[in-house]
């Protein structure tokens, strides 16, 4: 039997409460919560491919998609060309303006929001003049009809030899010098802010529901606030502020602009999963955890993103089952809200996605056997969002909703169970061996289908059926380094 652990919840209340011990006869099973708080970053997916994927995303329980940057960019095969804007024309290797609008419409039809990556801190980093994807001419500090040095649109910080950022302990340098030679916009000036607001307004007109603010750390918080000021009140704003323990700039400074990405979670969960003491993952972001994190209600967490999977600061698809475990812990987390990452396989850090002769990205397709055990060739779409184990727990999260008053955690060595009242229950096993045990699930009696290894199809469960007895007890085998998850939306007995 699992030891019950006190868990400090988002509101700060300590819950040690007993799980419902007995159930009134004939009690109705609760409805799934149908929460839509899980995002998925579809890195370098084209607009057409995202539009085609949205019904499957909705079906799995994803609420929104984060795209790669949609504006005109420099030419080149590397993935990072899209982080060098040439203009704010919505024309890129990922699709046209019309295709982007068609994507947001197709996704909206199935209830999936689309959030765009907004590169607003800088322009290109090329010293030589060139032509962008949509044909716009540019030079390093001259973007005809848009920005120019003559009008004071750029910073030339004069603080380092080449005007590049060198010290992250100097706030002025980080915000006014150049990030890897990228022409740094004078975002403290009104004309620059106004034109950036116009760009975001255009994205909203095209059906975009929110923005990731790329390189937010490299702009002062009032600049970011001014740039997002005209977005609709309900728009999602995700400031990208990489937490550096020794750095003076804190992610918390950006809460005035909206939500913020919490990078510490993914970095911390890597060590926890590799070490096996999964219990520690339940403490991340709580007052029991050692690290200071953003407030839960404004924080978005992720196991990896396109930068961290390349930098290896976090786990990635290449970590197979450990990666699955980290994603399960994220989706079950009481802290923050989760973003699943989905990219393509690579061995060269700079390698772009598969593209045609013109440089247009080829539409992503997911292999039938996408999952942690598969070997990936460079360029293949890894489709982490569709790995059965991850997609199943996304469905669990959507059915149980974010952790509320009834959320509890139980720990027994390297086995950790998450309860969401009568709506769902999930258990992870950090051991190298299977564990069979009788658990107190808190669920109403019935037969529930494990959505990690199985699915409920036409009333039959393709995986383990968890029989919950009176009092909520169930004897369950939790596979080594894996999980079992059940919820009221997947009951075998209807
Ligand atoms: C980000 N967040 O703050 C993005 O998440 C990250 O992926 C971007 O870097 C960065 N900020 C700028 O938007 C990527 C990539 C870099 C790449 C830049 C610009 O990680 O390697 O830099 O985009 O495309 C590349 C070269 C670099 C060169 C620079 C300018 O790697 O050596 O610097 O272009 O030509 C001279
Ligand atoms: Ca800047």
């Amino acid at each position: 039997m699992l030891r019950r652990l006190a868990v400090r919840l988002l509101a700060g209340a300590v819950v040690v409460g007993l799980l419902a011990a007995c159930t009134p006869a004939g009690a109705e099973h609760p409805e799934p919560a149908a929460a839509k708080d899980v995002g998925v970053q579809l890195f370098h997916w084209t607009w057409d491919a995202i539009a085609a994927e949205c019904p499957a995303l909705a079906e799995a329980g994803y609420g929104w998609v984060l795209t790669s940057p949609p504006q005109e960019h420099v030419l080149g095969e590397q993935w990072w060309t899209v982080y060098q804007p040439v203009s704010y024309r919505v024309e890129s290797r990922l699709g046209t303006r019309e295709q982007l609008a068609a994507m947001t419409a197709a996704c909206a039809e199935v209830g999936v929001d689309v959030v765009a990556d907004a590169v607003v801190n800088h322009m290109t980093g090329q010293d030589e003049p060139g032509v962008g994807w949509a044909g716009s001419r540019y030079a390093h500090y001259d973007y005809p009809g848009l920005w120019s040095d003559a009008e004071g649109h750029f910073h030339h910080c004069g603080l380092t030899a080449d005007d590049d950022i060198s010290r992250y302990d100097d706030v002025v340098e980080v915000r006014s010098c150049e990030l890897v030679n990228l022409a740094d916009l004078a975002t403290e000036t009104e004309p620059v802010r106004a034109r950036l607001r116009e760009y975001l307004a255009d994205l909203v007109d095209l059906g975009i529901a929110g923005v990731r603010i790329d390189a937010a750390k490299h702009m002062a918080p009032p600049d970011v606030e001014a740039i997002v000021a005209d977005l609709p009140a309900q728009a999602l704003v995700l400031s990208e502020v990489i937490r550096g323990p020794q750095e003076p700039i804190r992610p918390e400074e950006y809460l005035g602009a909206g939500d913020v990405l919490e990078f510490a979670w993914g970095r911390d969960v890597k060590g926890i999963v590799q070490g096996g003491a999964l219990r520690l993952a339940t403490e991340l972001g709580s007052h029991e955890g050692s690290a200071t994190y953003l407030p839960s209600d404004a924080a978005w967490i992720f196991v990896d993103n396109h930068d961290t999977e390349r930098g290896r600061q976090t786990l990635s698809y290449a970590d197979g089952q450990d990666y699955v475990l980290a994603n399960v812990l994220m989706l079950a987390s009481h802290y923050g809200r989760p973003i699943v990452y989905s990219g393509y396989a690579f061995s060269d850090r700079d390698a772009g996605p598969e593209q045609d002769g013109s440089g247009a990205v080829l539409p992503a397709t997911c292999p039938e056997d996408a999952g942690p055990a598969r070997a990936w060739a460079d360029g293949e779409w890894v489709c982490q969002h569709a790995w059965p184990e991850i997609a199943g727990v996304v469905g669990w999260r959507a059915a149980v909703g974010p952790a509320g008053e009834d959320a509890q955690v139980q720990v027994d060595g390297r086995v950790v169970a998450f309860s969401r009242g009568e709506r769902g229950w999930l258990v992870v096993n950090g051991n190298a061996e299977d564990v069979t045990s009788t658990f107190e699930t808190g669920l109403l009696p019935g037969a529930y289908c494990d959505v990690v290894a199985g699915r409920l199809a036409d009333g039959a469960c393709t995986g383990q059926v968890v029989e919950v007895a009176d009092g909520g007890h169930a004897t369950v085998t939790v596979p080594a380094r894996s999980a079992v998850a059940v919820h009221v939306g997947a009951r075998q007995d209807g």
Side-chain angles (χ1 to χ4, degrees), residues 50-97:
I50 293 175
E53 190 72 359
C54 263
L57 295 176
E59 172 80 23
Y62 291 98
W64 59 273
V65 177
L66 173 62
T67 73
S68 286
Q71 86 295 320
E72 181 180 12
H73 52 82
V74 297
L75 302 177
E77 288 177 15
Q78 302 89 339
W79 63 268
W80 40 253
T81 56
V82 295
Y83 286 99
Q84 298 193 35
V86 168
S87 78
Y88 301 115
R89 288 180 60 190
V90 180
E91 292 287 334
S92 77
R93 67 193 313 178
L94 298 172
T96 65
R97 182 177 179 86

Side-chain angles (χ1 to χ4, degrees), residues 169-248:
D169 58 359
D170 183 329
V171 175
V172 177
E173 208 177 297
V174 171
R175 291 180 175 154
S176 65
C177 293
E178 293 175 354
L179 172 64
V180 293
N181 205 40
L182 300 162
D184 202 60
L185 287 166
T187 48
E188 72 282 10
T189 67
E190 187 45 35
V192 169
R193 290 175 172 184
R195 184 61 186 87
L196 292 173
R197 277 196 293 269
E198 214 180 289
Y199 168 45
L200 300 192
D202 186 38
L203 293 179
V204 170
D205 284 346
L206 291 169
I208 292 293
V211 287
R212 168 187 184 266
I213 301 293
D214 180 67
K217 182 193 283 184
H218 302 279
M219 296 175 278
D223 301 3
V224 177
E225 289 164 25
I227 292 164
V228 302
D230 290 348
L231 289 176
Q234 75 281 8
L236 184 60
V237 174
L238 297 172
S239 289
E240 188 231 10
V241 188
I242 302 174
R243 188 183 289 284
Q246 311 303 329
E247 293 180 26

